């Protein structure tokens, strides 16, 4: 006999969830979960929905869909400098497929248990495939990294490399390329949330955002919130070896390259910090094991301007992902 | 020019949200919201998704969809005895329709502002229409009403009346009936979360659940969690005048009547309390302005048994809503 909704939740989610932390008084299985926030801390909250065919290709494996759904939410906590505390999951499925659910829950708890964030509840409904995660973390309010607090003259940094996921999206459907460019496809399907870095940047960086919509779009959010402009050095944008290989293999020009670099879905941190703390930024990046690159500077104004960009590429100032 | 995602959020959600409470340090517009939980309180959390055509008919008005999405989540807080604190919203839409969004946000904030619960964040994505709400409330852990703490001999109560929403679903599409049975359709589209009652029952009731899947299914959750059985008095189930009228109009028999009463989507509270506190239950129900009816008794065992049910109706023990 097919499992009902409650048995499915028990089997694929409750049983696979690692032990709850001391801050979770009551987990999956009642009308509400009950949690505590440690004294002196604020709760940071973010909610992201991933829709099949919009946020991931329809051919994406269930374990990767699950991994990405949690990773993009963890990334929002990283951008705030908050430590992950718990998450809830609403899963909408066209039908029950136990193999699919087995794979999905494996991908989910691979990441959840790695970062020790328990699943405390959620919902399971019938409909077109989509996944909503609400995540919560803890952070001291005085060091939470907002978008609105960048200052004139602050350096702009980005973690890791840009454009890998956008490149992965271009090659994932070409079976003759998937092996050669597996690292790019992995960056698309399994983004690495930068929580170790974000937690250490709290109190050091003056503002932070995670790069989901694309560097230009997301840096613009910092600029608008902080009522400032920015200069971006195009030659400084960090590019992975895998992406270099792709650019070379397909003889892509500067315009095509920049389009990938600004394509979004990176889940790197873009943050600002005063010049005076540059050595501290390098230290915490080393501690977190994540490279960071200085890519520009905040300035008076209301535009993001490129430095070192050929005029024929300059029209490509707005790139990134828009839903509507 | 069409509004982009960020302008839509600003216009339809951020601007219409009443002032944040003192517990919200940072609301809509950053990577995360930041909230506090008052000293001595736990945070109660629930997440529910409503899918078009599953949780509401596709013809439902956007203002009613919004109202119901928030109401069913408030109902989970009521069942826990928690006071509403904030909610986040993930809205998945097939396309941007500003008239639809205007109506949706009116329905949403009609209820949100009535119960003073601020929207702190969320997501807006493209896809089949579905609405996910994560809600949080505050409750002292020692009085939070769990499902697992009913005791043998406790009386079983239900608030309000049962079956109205299930009846509303039967008549909503028949234009010749919609005026006559408007109160039933309203109960389907705009359920009344019982927060005033739930908050007062905390510390009085021994267990509580909200009736979403149907009385039988939901009381079974209390029984399973509390490792007990229950006797249910069929003649005691509270029926509204509107539902009486419908039963009479269509000459429905006992079986058809019971099917409606157990049909779910009621968002009434089903709770247990020791006999000794019966007068206190009546007092808090009066204070909340919500009638409550004693409908049965918890007992040793692992079944929910009907008292006073004709044998030819008895096979109808399992009724309610199952997703899969």
């Amino acid at each position: 006999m097919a499992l009902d909704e409650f048995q499915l939740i028990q089997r694929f989610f409750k049983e696979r969830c690692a032990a709850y932390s001391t801050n979770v008084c009551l987990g999956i299985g009642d009308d509400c979960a009950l949690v505590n926030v440690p004294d002196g801390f604020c709760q940071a909250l973010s909610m992201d929905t991933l829709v099949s065919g919009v946020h991931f290709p329809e051919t994406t494996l269930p374990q990767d869909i699950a991994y990405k759904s949690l990773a993009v939410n963890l990334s929002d906590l990283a951008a705030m400098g908050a430590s992950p505390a718990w998450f809830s999951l609403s899963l909408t499925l066209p039908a029950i497929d136990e193999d699919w659910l087995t794979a999905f829950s494996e991908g989910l708890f691979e990441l959840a248990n790695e970062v020790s964030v328990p699943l405390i509840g959620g919902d399971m409904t019938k409909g077109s495939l989509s996944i909503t995660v609400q995540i919560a973390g803890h952070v001291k309010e005085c060091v939470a990294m907002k978008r609105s607090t960048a200052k004139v003259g602050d350096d702009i940094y980005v973690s890791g490399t840009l454009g890998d996921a956008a490149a992965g999206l271009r090659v994932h459907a070409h079976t003759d390329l998937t092996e050669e460019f597996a690292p790019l496809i992995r960056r698309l399907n399994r983004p690495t949330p930068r929580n170790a870095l974000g937690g250490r940047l709290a109190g050091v960086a003056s503002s932070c955002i995670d790069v989901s919509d694309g560097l230009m779009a997301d840096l613009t959010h910092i600029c608008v919130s902080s009522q400032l402009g920015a200069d971006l050095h195009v030659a400084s944008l960090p590019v992975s070896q895998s992406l270099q290989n792709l650019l070379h293999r397909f003889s892509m020009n500067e315009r095509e390259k920049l389009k990938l670099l600004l394509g979004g879905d990176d889940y790197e941190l873009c943050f600002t910090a005063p010049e005076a703390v540059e050595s501290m930024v390098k230290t915490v990046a080393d501690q977190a094991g994540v490279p960071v690159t200085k890519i520009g500077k905040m300035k008076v104004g209301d535009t993001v301007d490129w430095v070192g960009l050929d005029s024929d590429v300059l029209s490509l100032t707005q790139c990134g992902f828009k839903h509507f």
Side-chain angles (χ1 to χ4, degrees), chain A residues 45-322:
Chain A
L45 295 141
S46 177
M47 180 188 251
D48 274 314
T49 295
L50 275 66
V51 176
S52 180
V54 178
H55 299 89
F56 53 86
E58 281 164 14
T59 52
T60 307
L61 296 174
Q63 55 269 44
D64 290 339
I65 295 172
Y67 194 101
K68 187 168 185 172
S69 300
L70 183 56
V72 303
N73 277 278
L74 283 164
S75 179
D76 282 315
L77 291 185
M80 215 75 193
S83 317
W86 53 260
F87 72 106
S88 47
L89 167 73
S90 175
L91 185 55
T92 303
L93 296 172
I96 290 303
D97 174 338
E98 293 192 14
D99 291 339
W100 192 96
L101 275 166
T102 300
F104 182 88
S105 73
E106 276 171 11
L108 187 72
F109 290 113
E110 182 183 334
L111 180 56
N113 294 340
E114 183 190 319
V115 296
S116 299
V117 55
L119 175 66
I120 61 161
D123 199 5
M124 201 185 229
T125 51
K126 190 167 182 168
S128 305
L129 179 61
S130 87
I131 302 98
T132 298
V133 169
Q134 167 83 62
I135 201 161
H138 300 146
V139 64
K140 295 195 175 176
E141 194 191 346
C142 54
V143 298
M145 296 186 290
K146 301 171 186 172
R147 299 176 179 179
S148 57
T149 41
K151 298 284 177 291
V152 173
D154 283 355
D155 291 318
I156 303 167
Y157 296 85
V158 72
S159 66
T161 56
L162 295 170
D164 298 322
L169 187 62
R170 292 270 281 272
V171 296
H172 83 279
H174 301 276
T175 46
D176 54 322
L177 297 173
T178 49
E179 197 178 321
E180 184 179 354
F181 296 108
L184 298 178
I185 296 167
R186 189 173 170 83
R187 289 269 287 165
L188 171 69
N189 290 332
R190 296 210 166 199
T192 306
R194 299 302 190 186
N195 296 83
L197 177 64
R200 288 175 171 86
L201 283 174
V204 177
S206 57
S207 75
C208 188
I209 194 168
D210 72 323
V211 184
S212 52
D213 294 334
L215 178 69
M216 179 55 93
D218 290 312
L219 180 58
T220 299
H221 289 314
I222 286 185
C223 287
V224 169
S225 295
S226 298
Q227 299 184 280
L228 290 176
D231 278 331
L232 264 186
H233 296 266
V234 67
S236 304
L237 300 184
V239 181
S240 71
Q241 188 58 55
S242 296
L243 184 53
Q244 298 275 24
N245 296 347
L246 184 86
L247 297 172
H248 183 256
R249 170 90 128 81
F250 294 97
S251 310
M252 287 188 183
N253 62 25
E254 280 302 301
R255 190 184 170 88
E256 291 167 318
K257 173 183 170 185
L258 191 59
K259 200 166 174 185
L260 288 178
L261 291 180
L262 303 181
D265 236 11
D266 301 295
Y267 303 100
E268 296 293 351
L269 297 184
C270 174
F271 59 96
T272 62
E275 282 182 11
V277 301
E278 182 169 355
S279 65
M280 211 183 297
V281 168
K282 298 289 178 195
T283 302
V284 301
D286 284 349
Q287 287 170 345
V290 182
V292 300
T293 308
K294 204 157 62 165
I295 56 171
K297 216 172 231 319
M298 299 300 293
K299 64 177 182 182
V300 173
D302 57 7
T303 52
V304 179
D305 298 310
W306 287 105
V307 177
L309 193 64
D310 290 346
S311 57
D312 60 332
V313 186
L314 202 59
S315 63
L316 189 78
T317 49
Q318 280 297 345
C319 258
F321 187 76
K322 292 210 178 186

